[in-house]
Amino acid sequence: MLLSSSVWRGNARWWFAGGLLAGGLACALVAVTVGSLLRLLLPGPVAPALVAAVAVVILLGEFGLYRLRLPQNGRQVPEWVIDDGGRNGALQFGFEMGTGVRTYMTSGLPHLLLVVVLLLGGLWTAVIAGLGFGAGRAWMTLSRLWYGDTGRWDTELDRWLRPLRALLAVSAAGCCAAILITALVTV
Amino acid sequence: MVHPAALRRAWAHPLVPAPVLGALGLAVGALAATAAVAATSSAPAPPIVLTAWVVLAVSAGYAVSGSV
């Protein structure tokens, strides 16, 4: 794993985390801008209905009822970005990962978040969503480093992956319900 | 006395955030549904909605990061 490399010295992990936040924010702002145009074409309750339908499809996949293949750009950030060294390499690496457009999508929840931002997000909720996404990515990545034994951490992740994904899907379901209820009540 | 390394491994374990996020997501969903039902056509309070956005986003980021 790149983050266990000796390349990451000093404060590189924090620049990486900053890049994740910036990448998430950039992606969310693009999404809400595009979404604000899309919503001009969608009458009243159509947007919440679309979000509800997408949420059901994605969350059932997260619970393992079927294998859902969603679009992803399954390419890793190139090594030369890391080899650039220091804060610039870490920041760029984090930014590219934080946008979600150059990464393997092991979960459908980012797609669900994107659809929610596109169809129901305002400026400040998009900011919150983008920063939150980056923070979630940073949390797992940094906890892997703080654990002290990255090999054992990876083993534990593999061992607990199914319940972890199920719990996160439960979280997403509850949050989507709250956001949808708000959208429907205010339509 | 808990050894610092053991404490760090406890809270940095990959599973730790998941039940916290799951509980928060369920809580905001339940609170929003209660607000909508208890007071007809009432929108959930802003803190509930904002919490929902934060928890959804963090959950999405955390869910995908095993691929790093």
Side-chain angles (χ1 to χ4, degrees):
Chain A
M1 298 263 182
L2 288 173
L3 283 185
S4 60
S5 165
S6 58
V7 171
W8 297 91
R9 296 190 178 92
N11 293 323
R13 64 189 64 183
W14 298 113
W15 285 100
F16 171 73
L20 286 173
L21 292 172
L25 179 61
C27 194
L29 290 176
V30 169
V32 76
T33 303
V34 171
S36 63
L37 299 173
L38 269 177
R39 276 172 273 170
L40 294 175
L41 305 172
L42 299 174
V46 173
L50 279 174
V51 171
V54 169
V56 168
V57 170
I58 288 178
L59 291 173
L60 289 179
E62 291 297 301
F63 283 118
L65 293 183
Y66 46 73
R67 190 179 175 88
L68 185 64
R69 291 186 183 277
L70 291 167
Q72 65 174 336
N73 186 9
R75 296 184 296 154
Q76 289 188 325
V77 180
E79 288 272 351
W80 63 261
V81 173
I82 312 301
D83 293 340
D84 185 44
R87 64 181 68 173
N88 288 339
L91 190 63
Q92 183 176 347
F93 181 33
F95 184 84
E96 295 202 33
M97 297 290 290
T99 61
V101 297
R102 179 131 72 163
T103 188
Y104 291 94
M105 285 291 179
T106 54
S107 167
L109 293 188
H111 296 84
L112 175 57
L113 178 66
L114 179 65
V115 170
V116 175
V117 172
L118 266 172
L119 297 181
L120 299 179
L123 175 61
W124 292 112
T125 48
V127 169
I128 288 168
L131 292 176
F133 180 75
R137 294 214 70 165
W139 187 354
M140 178 174 269
T141 308
L142 292 173
S143 67
R144 183 174 179 271
L145 295 173
W146 289 329
Y147 193 74
D149 181 344
T150 54
R152 186 170 164 186
W153 192 95
D154 293 338
T155 302
E156 289 295 299
L157 178 65
D158 285 341
R159 181 181 168 203
W160 293 101
L161 189 61
R162 286 194 70 177
L164 185 147
R165 288 189 63 172
L167 286 167
L168 293 176
V170 166
S171 169
C175 294
C176 281
I179 294 168
L180 280 167
I181 289 169
T182 305
L184 289 168
V185 164
T186 55
V187 159
Chain B
M1 178 75 177
V2 179
H3 195 277
L7 196 60
R8 192 174 66 238
R9 287 195 172 187
W11 64 258
H13 190 278
L15 186 60
V16 162
V20 176
L21 292 169
L24 283 172
L26 277 179
V28 295
L31 286 170
T34 302
V37 169
T40 309
S41 298
S42 171
I48 295 174
V49 183
L50 289 176
T51 302
W53 279 98
V54 171
V55 173
L56 175 62
V58 172
S59 296
Y62 198 81
V64 78
S65 287
S67 60
V68 173

